[in-house]
């Protein structure tokens, strides 16, 4: 009996000794662990690649509170990298040429989930080769990705998150984004600032609840597909200062608890019903009534009145500035007359003669109507008649002057010269001239 007991003790001690002999990530050539139990990795010329794992040699120690990586050529997070790191609070990646986050690599759900503030994930000035499906899951406090190139964002890359405070995507270039990249979670704020994307696909944000601010600011996008944003309950929606080639119909499916602002955007084409998916939440509408959809100081090349269809049941539309990059004419003005009559506001068209935008009502007052439409025709015809009359008068004056210059000089027998002044027939008597002196 005693021998069995001692045998168990020896086995445990042996396992503990074996665990101590296995090196951790703190002993990686490019890494160290400081007194605050942070894993800090800074790659040098000889050690440019780093693989982070949860078990085996060079695993991340379980008591690590932060993973900080800077200046590596390649960093790979293997599956389940952070699942058992119950003390972990921060992951910070900067200046890395190739970041790969495998499936469930950053899935983190500690046991005391409700009391834990969650992970802060920060990636800056890096190239993210891929974030795999379900790459980021669980208790996440904030996600901040800035000044980075995102090559491939798989479906459900950010999914089933809890406790999220902020998601900020700032000055990033999105190359390939697949559907439902952000799926099924609640966050206080979701912000996309600056940067560019080729196409943001359908359900880019899918079943995402934003409790405070949804903001898209200063982004250059080729196309926002139908149902790009499926978002509920933001108190404020701001879409401003963007450059968008195409807004597809129903690209926003957003149920808001407050006003919606579409301001200072330059858009190539707005399809029919692009704004139709905006709505006020039933709870807010029942208390405060219609929420405002504001169209303010936007410039659009291809647009029709049907592009501004909106949910009349819960929203009111206000147009404070819409510049149509189309040459002013009376047909164009007539097409927008119903919108102006119903909503008022400021809608401008391009006035070629003066090379600036002019409001459609101003153009109509000065150029349209039965008389005004033919006014310039009358002016042009009048000018032509005046010019023709002037030409005729000048012709006869010149002709008369020329005739005066051609009057005949006559030498009379008395040796005097006379200039003809009047046209008369004079009968003279002719005398025979002799040679007698």
């Amino acid at each position: 009996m005693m021998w069995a007991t001692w045998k168990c003790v020896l086995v445990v001690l042996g396992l503990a000794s074996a665990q101590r002999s296995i090196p951790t990530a703190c002993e990686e050539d490019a890494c160290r662990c400081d007194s605050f139990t942070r894993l800090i990795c800074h790659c040098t010329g000889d050690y440019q690649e780093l693989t982070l794992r949860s078990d085996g040699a060079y695993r991340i120690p379980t008591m690590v509170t932060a993973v900080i990586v800077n200046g590596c050529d390649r960093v790979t997070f293997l599956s389940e990298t952070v699942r058992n790191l119950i003390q972990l609070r921060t992951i910070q990646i900067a200046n890395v040429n190739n970041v790969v986050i495998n499936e469930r690599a950053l899935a983190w759900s500690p046991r005391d989930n409700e009391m834990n503030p969650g992970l802060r994930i920060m990636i800056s000035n890096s190239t993210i080769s891929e974030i795999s499906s379900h790459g980021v899951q669980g208790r996440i406090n904030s996600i901040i990705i800035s000044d980075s190139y995102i090559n491939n964002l798989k479906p459900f890359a950010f999914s089933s998150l809890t406790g999220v405070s902020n998601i900020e995507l700032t000055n990033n270039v999105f190359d390939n984004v697949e559907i439902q990249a952000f799926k099924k979670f609640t966050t206080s704020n979701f912000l996309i600032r600056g940067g560019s994307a080729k196409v943001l696909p359908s359900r880019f944000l899918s079943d995402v609840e934003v409790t405070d601010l949804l903001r898209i600011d200063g982004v250059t996008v080729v196309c926002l597909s139908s149902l790009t944003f499926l978002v509920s309950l933001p108190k404020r929606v701001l879409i401003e200062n963007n450059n968008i080639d195409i807004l597809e119909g129903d690209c926003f499916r957003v149920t808001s608890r407050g006003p919606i602002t579409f301001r200072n955007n330059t858009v190539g084409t707005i399809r029919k019903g692009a704004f139709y998916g905006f709505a006020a939440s039933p709870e807010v509408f029942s208390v405060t009534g219609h929420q405002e959809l504001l169209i303010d100081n936007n410039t659009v090349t291809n647009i029709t009145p049907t592009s501004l269809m909106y949910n009349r049941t819960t929203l009111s539309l206000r147009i404070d500035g819409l510049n149509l990059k189309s040459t002013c004419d009376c047909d164009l003005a007539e097409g927008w007359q119903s919108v102006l009559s119903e909503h008022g506001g400021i809608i401008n068209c391009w006035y070629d003669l003066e090379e600036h935008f002019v409001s459609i009502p101003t153009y109509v007052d000065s150029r349209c109507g039965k008389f005004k439409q033919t006014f310039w025709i009358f002016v042009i015809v009048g000018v032509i008649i005046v010019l023709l009359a002037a030409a005729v008068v000048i012709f006869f004056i010149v002709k008369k002057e020329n005739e005066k210059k051609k009057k005949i000089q006559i030498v009379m027998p008395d040796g005097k010269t006379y200039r003809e002044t009047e046209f008369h027939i004079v009968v003279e008597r002719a005398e025979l001239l002799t040679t007698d002196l």
Side-chain angles (χ1 to χ4, degrees):
M1 188 73 174
M2 287 288 293
W3 169 243
T5 302
W6 279 106
K7 186 176 181 181
C8 290
V9 171
L10 290 173
V11 169
V12 170
L13 290 174
L15 289 173
S17 176
Q19 283 280 43
R20 284 195 298 269
S21 66
I22 298 174
T24 67
C26 299
E27 298 167 83
E28 278 270 14
D29 293 315
C31 302
R32 63 184 176 86
C33 289
D34 65 6
S35 58
F36 298 100
T37 63
R38 297 180 304 177
L39 174 66
I40 301 173
C41 302
H42 185 82
C43 295
T44 62
D46 296 330
Y47 306 101
Q48 285 294 316
E49 294 192 8
L50 181 65
T51 300
L52 299 173
R53 53 176 62 84
S54 62
D55 53 19
Y58 299 105
R59 72 191 185 282
I60 300 175
T62 56
M63 299 307 291
V64 159
T65 59
V67 175
I68 301 171
V69 181
N70 184 32
C72 296
D73 185 63
R74 181 182 178 90
V75 174
T76 302
F77 288 85
L78 299 181
S79 294
E80 314 289 345
T81 295
V82 302
R83 183 172 293 280
N84 297 317
L85 306 180
I86 59 175
Q87 302 299 323
L88 187 64
R89 295 294 180 269
T90 302
I91 297 174
Q92 183 175 325
I93 310 295
N95 306 309
V96 174
N97 292 331
N98 192 341
V99 179
V100 177
I101 299 175
N102 284 300
E103 188 171 342
R104 296 185 177 83
L106 302 184
W108 191 74
S109 298
R111 294 184 185 91
D112 56 339
N113 202 21
E114 295 301 321
M115 300 298 294
N116 199 303
L119 286 183
R120 289 175 295 167
I121 300 173
M122 294 171 283
I123 303 175
S124 64
N125 196 35
S126 300
T127 296
I128 302 172
S129 296
E130 181 172 293
I131 300 180
S132 298
S133 297
H134 312 288
V136 181
Q137 282 187 324
R139 187 82 177 170
I140 307 294
N141 177 264
S142 64
I143 299 169
I144 300 174
I145 303 176
S146 62
D147 302 300
S148 296
Y149 184 91
I150 302 172
N151 186 50
N152 200 5
L153 208 55
K154 290 289 189 179
F156 314 111
F158 301 89
S159 62
S160 301
L161 309 178
T162 60
V164 185
S165 175
N166 290 294
I167 295 180
E168 297 183 25
L169 309 174
T170 304
N171 295 328
N172 300 299
V173 176
F174 295 87
D175 184 16
N176 180 45
V177 180
E178 299 190 31
I179 63 171
Q180 302 191 91
F182 294 87
K183 172 71 173 178
K184 201 167 178 130
F185 59 86
T186 299
T187 179
S188 297
N189 302 295
F190 193 103
L191 297 87
I192 306 177
R193 285 196 180 107
S196 63
K198 294 177 181 178
V199 176
L200 289 183
S202 179
R203 300 176 185 271
F204 171 62
L205 268 66
S206 181
D207 299 326
V208 173
E209 183 178 295
V210 178
T211 59
D212 193 3
L213 175 64
L214 172 64
R215 185 171 189 174
I216 305 162
D217 183 2
V219 184
T220 299
V221 186
V222 174
C223 179
L224 288 185
S225 306
S226 295
L227 303 177
T228 296
F229 296 96
L230 272 70
V231 179
S232 60
L233 303 182
K235 291 180 181 176
R236 193 83 172 89
V237 178
L238 289 174
I239 302 165
E240 54 188 3
N241 306 312
N242 301 291
N243 195 323
I244 305 168
D245 284 357
I246 300 174
L247 274 181
E248 292 289 358
D250 205 21
C251 58
F252 301 102
R253 186 66 66 85
V254 178
T255 303
S256 176
R257 292 185 292 161
I260 300 158
T261 301
F262 190 80
R263 174 189 291 135
N264 295 337
N265 300 287
T266 300
V267 185
T269 300
I270 299 181
R271 305 285 193 206
K272 178 181 178 181
F275 302 107
Y276 194 72
F278 284 121
S281 70
E283 295 81 5
V284 170
F285 176 73
S286 64
V287 175
T288 62
H290 290 78
Q291 297 299 304
E292 183 178 73
L293 170 60
L294 172 62
I295 308 293
D296 181 17
N297 195 35
N298 299 281
T299 301
V300 185
T301 303
N302 299 307
I303 184 173
T304 65
T306 58
S307 302
L308 299 184
M309 291 171 56
Y310 68 100
N311 186 323
R312 295 171 180 268
T313 304
T314 61
L315 297 179
S316 62
L317 177 64
R318 179 158 64 96
I319 303 173
D320 268 1
L322 178 60
N323 297 322
L324 311 178
K325 288 186 72 175
S326 301
T327 302
C328 295
D329 62 49
C330 295
D331 290 337
L332 176 72
E334 185 178 355
W336 286 95
Q337 196 60 48
S338 61
V339 177
L340 287 166
S341 299
E342 182 177 359
H343 303 290
I346 302 170
I347 302 178
N348 304 317
C349 55
W350 182 255
Y351 190 30
D352 281 335
L353 290 178
E354 298 182 8
E355 296 188 344
H356 64 76
F357 285 104
V358 63
S359 73
I360 287 180
T362 300
Y363 180 80
V364 169
D365 289 342
S366 61
R367 295 289 180 267
C368 299
K370 288 185 178 180
F371 171 75
K372 292 170 184 175
Q373 284 180 291
T374 58
F375 173 75
W376 289 106
I377 297 175
F378 290 137
V379 170
I380 292 170
V381 171
V383 169
I384 292 173
I385 291 173
V386 170
L387 290 175
L388 287 174
V392 171
V393 171
I394 292 170
F395 172 77
F396 282 107
I397 290 173
V398 171
K399 181 178 180 181
K400 187 173 182 180
E401 289 296 323
N402 288 337
E403 287 177 351
K404 286 181 180 181
K405 291 177 181 179
K406 294 179 182 178
K407 297 299 181 181
I408 303 171
Q409 292 182 348
I410 302 173
V411 180
M412 300 303 290
D414 57 2
K416 295 181 179 181
T417 301
Y418 298 88
R419 184 180 300 275
E420 180 183 8
T421 59
E422 292 182 345
F423 184 73
H424 292 292
I425 299 176
V426 180
V427 180
E428 298 283 352
R429 185 182 61 180
E431 294 183 356
L432 178 65
L433 298 177
T434 64
T435 57
D436 294 337
L437 296 177

